[in-house]
Amino acid sequence: MLLVTSVETARPVGNVVMMLGSGGGGFAVGPEDGVMRVQGGFPVTQHPRLAAGIGGSVVALSPPTDQPVMDVDWRLSASHVTDLRAAVRWSRERWPNADVWMLGFESGGMSAAVATANIEEIAGAVLVCAPEEASAQQPASERMRMLVIRQGNSPAGAGSQSVNAGRRGRRTWVRIDDERHVPPATPGDGALASGRPFGGKETQVIDVVARWIMTGTAPHAIR
């Protein structure tokens, strides 16, 4: 399943962000209010803000019906790459002039990184609180960009924005400062469903992601 959020503009869609949630990363309708929710990612209510910020569309992917819980082995599999490639192809057919970006949360960041390593047609990826091995993936094309967003009180989030010329592609690191000093989430534990790693800064994170996609620049930290 694909959950599509688009903005109405006079210009053609310029960017498409494909969201990959942590853990199972599925969709659920709240029994109390009937509102659709994406598990392990940005709240659906924030998708229009990101779509407006990139001048395009946000496409959230659900797990495949035969793999409702996507563990690391699955995310590294050829079958998963086939599914991601099909989603990219669908997006490019619908919006032929748009750049397609992968955005993955926690373990979903591994999926986004695997996509950059295998699908040359995408423009790059955003990894949010993803495992270390996700940002170590080598993009298939040197033109790809990668934004790595880390929680500030995790060891991997201590660095500021930088570009590593020793790897294929261009990487930018951004730290989320969390003055509450909440212990970092364990990748895949679904903590992003409640927004814990963002420290209540979901809107700021979305704005930084949109700015980076549009301009290639990002602040050193989100405070």
Side-chain angles (χ1 to χ4, degrees):
M1 287 181 61
L2 305 177
L3 180 63
V4 180
T5 303
S6 296
V7 293
E8 295 293 335
T9 65
R11 298 180 179 179
V13 168
N15 294 283
V16 176
V17 170
M18 312 206 77
M19 286 197 181
L20 303 159
S22 62
F27 305 154
V29 177
E32 70 286 349
D33 55 14
V35 175
M36 177 70 75
R37 290 175 173 82
V38 176
Q39 300 172 6
F42 286 128
V44 174
T45 53
Q46 294 280 16
H47 290 196
R49 184 181 186 93
L50 180 56
I54 63 173
S57 300
V58 174
V59 180
L61 278 66
S62 75
T65 55
D66 60 349
Q67 192 72 31
V69 178
M70 296 189 289
D71 57 19
V72 174
D73 288 342
W74 167 257
R75 291 182 187 276
L76 294 173
S77 71
S79 295
H80 188 39
V81 172
T82 297
D83 288 346
L84 295 175
R85 196 184 301 277
V88 171
R89 184 170 59 250
W90 177 87
S91 296
R92 292 181 64 83
E93 288 174 353
R94 180 163 181 174
W95 301 290
N97 298 316
D99 287 330
V100 178
W101 307 83
M102 293 287 179
L103 190 158
F105 302 85
E106 292 180 344
S107 57
M110 183 59 72
S111 296
V114 166
T116 66
N118 291 276
I119 307 174
E120 293 188 5
E121 294 84 358
I122 65 178
V126 179
L127 312 182
V128 182
C129 300
E132 276 292 307
E133 55 266 35
S135 56
Q137 291 284 323
Q138 294 296 304
S141 170
E142 292 184 356
R143 67 174 176 76
M144 290 184 186
R145 291 192 276 132
M146 183 177 290
L147 176 64
V148 182
I149 300 178
R150 299 283 189 187
Q151 190 176 7
N153 55 4
S154 66
S160 60
Q161 176 184 354
S162 61
V163 177
N164 189 335
R167 297 172 175 174
R168 289 175 65 87
R170 293 167 288 167
R171 287 170 170 79
T172 301
W173 278 265
V174 174
R175 182 184 70 249
I176 303 175
D177 283 345
D178 189 349
E179 62 278 2
R180 301 173 308 153
H181 302 292
V182 178
T186 300
D189 70 359
L192 278 170
S194 62
R196 189 182 75 185
F198 297 143
K201 299 181 175 71
E202 291 87 353
T203 298
Q204 294 95 313
V205 173
I206 286 174
D207 290 347
V208 165
V209 171
R211 169 183 165 183
W212 176 82
I213 287 175
M214 297 298 289
T215 69
T217 63
H220 294 299
I222 299 172
R223 298 183 172 89

